């Protein structure tokens, strides 16, 4: 019922920047936390960054200092600002939500993914 839709992916050169957005739609829900994950071909999906409803953030070591996660709770939107992009950042990026809806908590809400490709 709750849907997450990512946008903002694309092709950029190494050293460039992108901003990903993830917007949630639906009804009767409140976020506990939201996060970004990524999956490169042939690799496991990995956590990139998370943000709680209170604004606490954490990042994978590989993106610290380069990526920034933020949220606009009023708009039910989370962002991932990606700077100093490297070819190894190339992956499909997925938005994830941990939320409470109709008294049920679940962290199994995912967007469809958006492709980020960083060229050398």
């Amino acid at each position: 019922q709750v849907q997450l839709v990512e946008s903002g992916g694309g092709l950029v050169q190494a050293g460039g920047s992108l901003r990903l957005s993830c917007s949630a739609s639906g009804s009767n829900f409140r976020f506990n936390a939201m996060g970004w994950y990524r999956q490169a071909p042939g690799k496991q999906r990995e956590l990139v960054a998370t943000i709680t409803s209170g604004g606490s953030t954490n990042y994978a070591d590989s993106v610290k200092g380069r990526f920034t996660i933020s949220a606009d709770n009023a708009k039910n939107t989370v962002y991932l600002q990606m700077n100093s992009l490297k070819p190894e950042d190339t992956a499909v990026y997925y938005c994830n939500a941990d939320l409470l809806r109709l008294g049920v908590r679940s962290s199994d809400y995912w967007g469809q993914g958006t492709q980020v490709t960083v060229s050398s």
Side-chain angles (χ1 to χ4, degrees):
Q1 190 64 40
V2 178
Q3 296 184 355
L4 306 177
V5 179
E6 302 100 333
S7 63
L11 173 64
V12 298
Q13 296 181 4
S17 298
L18 284 174
R19 188 183 73 166
L20 306 183
S21 299
C22 173
S23 296
S25 62
S27 62
N28 298 310
F29 66 89
R30 292 181 178 179
F31 291 107
N32 301 121
M34 297 189 72
W36 289 95
Y37 293 72
R38 67 187 182 187
Q39 187 168 24
K43 297 184 178 180
Q44 299 272 32
R45 186 173 298 186
E46 64 177 351
L47 184 147
V48 177
T50 60
I51 184 168
T52 69
S53 60
S56 298
T57 61
N58 72 85
Y59 299 89
D61 288 341
S62 60
V63 306
K64 286 181 179 178
R66 300 189 298 119
F67 291 10
T68 303
I69 188 171
S70 62
D72 185 338
N73 195 44
K75 294 181 172 62
N76 289 325
T77 300
V78 64
Y79 305 93
L80 185 68
Q81 179 66 46
M82 304 185 294
N83 298 324
S84 302
L85 283 163
K86 305 174 181 179
E88 50 263 45
D89 295 319
T90 296
V92 178
Y93 284 70
Y94 297 91
C95 178
N96 170 259
D98 177 0
L99 56 82
L100 180 70
R101 180 176 183 271
L102 301 177
V104 179
R105 181 178 178 179
S106 176
S107 60
D108 199 28
Y109 290 93
W110 295 90
Q112 83 287 352
T114 185
Q115 177 70 48
V116 172
T117 302
V118 184
S119 62
S120 300

